[in-house]
Amino acid sequence: MTGNNGHKSASRFDALIIGAGFAGLYQLHSLRDKLGLSSVVLEAGDGIGGTWYWNRYPGARCDSESHVYAYYFSDELLTEWEWTERYPAQPEIVRYLEFVANKLDLKRDIRLGTRVVSAHYLEDENRWIVTTEGGTRFEATYLIAATGCLSAANIPAIPGLESFDGEWYHTGQWPHEEVEFRGKAVGQIGTGSTGIQAAPVIAQTAKHLTVFQRTPNFSVPAHNRPLSADFKQYVRESRAEIRKLIRSTTNAHAFKISDRKVFDVSAQEREAIYEAAWEKGGLEFRACFQDLMIDKAANDTAADFLKNKIRKIVKDPETAATLTKIDHPYGTKRPPIDTDYFETFNRENVSLIDVRANPITRITPRGIETTDAAYEFDIIVFATGFDAITGPLLKMDIRGRDGLSIHKAWETGPWTYLGLQIPGFPNLFTITGPGSPSVLTNMPVAIEQHVDWITDCIADMRNNDLARIEPTAAAADAWGEYVNETASATLMPQAGHSWYHGANIPGKPLKFMPYVGGMAHYRTICDDAASRGYEGFTRQAR
Ligand code: NAP
């Protein structure tokens, strides 16, 4: 049976895509409109946007600059959309994705409120059987997980949470209704990129905000501002150059990492370079020198500069000391950027609690207890991050050939080839999966590269009458070793408690998950594998 969109039946498709964020939307467009495959997106949320649908906490804003936080595959989309601020706020990003979905007529093939709970591969039929929370069954030849890297919220198992009499929220599952902080005592746990964005905004209206900090963090000012008419014109006219640039840089941002090394310049010159980067603001700070991420002594100069900035901003010496007890090299945990984060601690209604010194022991009906004190709150905000990269995949019961579960396959950590496919799971593709640059980049660029690669791969299979593709175990082993060696050649492993390693989730196998070798180099590796007849993969006819 063939329906309006070429659907073979109500629930059988060529391709199923899980997730309607940046990745899922472009994947749907590519498979449906470029290849003509019957495709559908299954999305747990009641709206599109993925990460940006869920992360609507106060202050939520992207750290990539807006003009590069966009799809670059379509000149039409680029010319018709205009960002308003240097960094896009969450509502504007959702509006952008709505604009794209409407423009490309994607919504008719997106099933909202449809959470996938399992995906099982039937080898005899070469088909994935996908089941949703509501019990609906879908079938498809290709299954694409566009589930995002930061979508499985981590709510720490602190005893007593269920007894709390007030309201509590995780930033990654923020309610659609406005949360009223006015006149309320608020406790915020977590000082990662999210907490650093949320605290200054919550402090503006809360009666009192208490920030519980376990690991202090570096942060560079965002210097967000409305975009000028001149800049908007530059973006419109220079989109081809910008596209080329973001596809050629290490982190897929519109800036290159400098060639100079920290100790090639005098101390005075170095200070001036850091000062200029601080004044410019944003993630580009890490591009000041080429050796910041590989030479600890070089990194220390950036770390000292940033700690001195905190000491200058924060008036209370004890609070400044707690904020500067930073125990990881700069950039080895995801470096946040902020709007008045450190300034927030100069407010009368804000206090900082060091839970490294005095850990949280439990949550009571009235608030939070640490080893040395009890705090009363009306609202607790968990800015406690995510079960990152693998979490969204492991939340589903995914089973490949012979019933092999993804939990078993990834018992000792994620095992993929190129972060795109897993041995034993034919025709399953993971957009920005573990082992790809993903979270170390400006995500839309990494997403477009993966979607294009997957689309070309499926097109090639169909042109050659091939039914299934999966990587060899040897290719995945070698890739895993290479990803690990590449990370080990940097300072990254020195931040032992980072979510990049999975260290933020108790019991999660420790393995550095993203590929640090740079987006441009990674693109070449993927293209080379494809051009050598999908080297490292096994492809089979029916
Ligand atoms: P995160 O970086 O994992 O930070 C979570 C925070 O919660 C950390 O300070 C962590 O402390 C703390 N925490 C977790 N469990 C705790 C516990 N039981 N007790 C006390 N503290 C606890 O998560 P995130 O801030 O949500 O950021 C995750 C990633 O999302 C970012 O790194 C970034 O890639 C992305 N993000 C991007 C943007 C943006 O572009 N604007 C904004 C937000 C997030 P420890 O460090 O000690 O574990």
Side-chain angles (χ1 to χ4, degrees):
M1 188 175 107
T2 299
N4 287 346
N5 303 318
H7 295 170
K8 288 170 193 143
S9 77
S11 62
R12 188 184 288 190
F13 298 88
D14 293 322
L16 285 174
I17 299 157
I18 310 174
F22 266 90
L25 296 182
Y26 182 39
Q27 189 67 80
L28 172 62
H29 171 62
S30 299
L31 293 180
R32 188 192 71 179
D33 302 333
K34 294 182 191 168
L35 301 193
L37 302 194
S38 63
S39 313
V40 76
V41 173
L42 305 177
E43 165 56 55
D46 289 329
I48 65 164
T51 295
W52 296 106
Y53 173 84
W54 299 102
N55 281 270
R56 47 183 72 229
Y57 58 86
R61 188 181 287 284
C62 186
D63 290 348
S64 291
E65 297 203 23
S66 57
H67 69 294
V68 294
Y69 201 73
Y71 293 113
Y72 266 77
F73 68 86
S74 156
D75 273 338
E76 207 179 342
L77 292 177
L78 282 167
T79 34
E80 288 184 22
W81 180 262
E82 199 168 74
W83 295 102
T84 62
E85 293 179 274
R86 180 175 176 187
Y87 303 94
Q90 178 271 340
E92 190 169 27
I93 301 173
V94 173
R95 279 201 299 280
Y96 169 71
L97 292 173
E98 286 281 342
F99 151 77
V100 171
N102 289 332
K103 183 87 196 155
L104 301 177
D105 191 19
L106 298 178
K107 287 186 179 168
R108 66 186 155 97
D109 291 311
I110 300 174
R111 309 282 170 88
L112 297 174
T114 306
R115 183 179 291 280
V116 170
V117 291
S118 71
H120 295 177
Y121 177 69
L122 297 187
E123 184 159 23
D124 290 348
E125 300 172 39
N126 187 35
R127 195 175 304 160
W128 281 93
I129 309 298
V130 169
T131 313
T132 71
E133 203 169 43
T136 310
R137 190 181 141 110
F138 294 86
E139 302 180 8
T141 310
Y142 311 103
L143 178 64
I144 296 107
T147 36
C149 294
L150 298 162
S151 52
N154 167 39
I155 300 165
I158 302 172
L161 176 57
E162 68 294 339
S163 73
F164 181 55
D165 279 340
E167 304 158 46
W168 66 268
Y169 306 98
H170 186 281
T171 49
Q173 296 174 343
W174 202 258
H176 284 234
E177 310 74 52
E178 196 173 339
V179 175
E180 181 56 86
F181 294 106
R182 204 167 297 277
K184 305 270 176 71
V186 182
Q188 176 187 303
I189 304 175
T191 53
S193 302
T194 300
I196 280 178
Q197 286 186 331
V201 181
I202 295 173
Q204 281 167 22
T205 50
K207 182 169 79 186
H208 194 91
L209 170 67
T210 307
V211 176
F212 292 85
Q213 170 193 278
R214 190 164 64 184
T215 304
N217 235 323
F218 298 102
S219 185
V220 169
H223 294 314
N224 186 41
R225 55 173 174 262
L227 290 177
S228 66
D230 282 354
F231 189 80
K232 288 179 187 171
Q233 191 181 342
Y234 154 75
V235 171
R236 254 195 316 277
E237 290 171 359
S238 315
R239 57 182 184 275
E241 281 159 48
I242 298 170
R243 178 189 292 119
K244 206 165 149 201
L245 180 63
I246 59 178
R247 289 182 181 175
S248 70
T249 56
T250 307
N251 302 102
H253 289 284
F255 56 81
K256 291 193 171 131
I257 293 174
S258 170
D259 287 338
R260 71 190 159 215
K261 290 186 171 177
V262 163
F263 298 111
D264 286 349
V265 300
S266 69
Q268 238 178 346
E269 232 178 301
R270 196 156 53 236
E271 192 71 7
I273 289 166
Y274 287 141
E275 192 62 49
W278 174 272
E279 280 311 312
K280 191 171 187 191
L283 292 172
E284 196 170 344
F285 189 88
R286 68 184 167 187
C288 282
F289 295 99
Q290 60 137 296
D291 51 348
L292 284 180
M293 296 311 299
I294 49 174
D295 178 344
K296 176 67 167 52
N299 190 292
D300 284 345
T301 66
D304 288 345
F305 175 88
L306 293 171
K307 287 180 193 171
N308 282 335
K309 283 289 184 194
I310 300 171
R311 290 185 194 106
K312 275 187 203 142
I313 296 169
V314 179
K315 295 197 177 111
D316 173 45
E318 206 182 312
T319 305
T322 306
L323 288 165
T324 48
K325 271 198 280 182
I326 306 177
D327 60 356
H328 56 277
Y330 166 70
T332 56
K333 291 189 94 168
R334 159 65 155 74
I337 65 174
D338 70 277
T339 300
D340 295 339
Y341 176 63
F342 297 115
E343 289 81 351
T344 295
F345 293 99
N346 293 333
R347 294 177 67 112
E348 291 288 313
N349 68 333
V350 176
S351 38
L352 179 68
I353 305 300
D354 180 355
V355 294
R356 176 84 68 207
N358 296 298
I360 296 173
T361 48
R362 64 178 184 135
I363 293 176
T364 65
R366 308 182 76 150
I368 294 177
E369 278 184 17
T370 62
T371 48
D372 73 336
Y375 304 86
E376 294 192 2
F377 297 117
D378 302 303
I379 300 177
I380 298 175
V381 172
F382 287 88
T384 43
F386 302 90
D387 182 352
I389 304 180
T390 52
L393 295 162
L394 290 167
K395 269 172 90 173
M396 297 177 285
D397 173 23
I398 301 180
R399 288 170 194 267
R401 194 181 314 100
D402 302 326
L404 173 68
S405 81
I406 192 168
H407 285 268
K408 180 82 188 150
W410 286 4
E411 222 170 10
T412 57
W415 185 49
T416 75
Y417 183 42
L418 303 174
L420 275 162
Q421 276 212 299
I422 311 161
F425 295 78
N427 295 348
L428 168 66
F429 298 89
T430 51
I431 300 178
T432 64
S436 73
S438 66
V439 292
L440 302 178
T441 71
N442 171 37
M443 287 299 273
V445 178
I447 285 169
E448 279 193 356
Q449 184 259 340
H450 263 192
V451 169
D452 289 343
W453 193 95
I454 293 165
T455 307
D456 290 348
C457 170
I458 292 176
D460 190 75
M461 284 168 70
R462 294 173 79 84
N463 290 340
N464 291 292
D465 211 17
L466 296 169
R468 60 190 110 199
I469 180 168
E470 68 178 287
T472 65
D477 283 344
W479 182 252
E481 269 171 43
Y482 173 61
V483 168
N484 190 36
E485 275 164 21
T486 316
S488 299
T490 71
L491 301 176
M492 287 294 191
Q494 293 195 20
H497 39 60
S498 146
W499 59 260
Y500 290 155
H501 301 258
N504 63 330
I505 303 296
K508 188 166 171 168
L510 296 181
K511 196 167 182 179
F512 194 85
M513 293 183 283
Y515 170 63
V516 299
M519 190 59 218
H521 183 53
Y522 173 79
R523 185 188 295 274
T524 311
I525 295 172
C526 293
D527 289 349
D528 285 352
S531 66
R532 291 198 207 107
Y534 290 88
E535 194 175 61
F537 295 87
T538 306
R539 301 197 298 168
Q540 290 172 342
R542 245 148 262 287

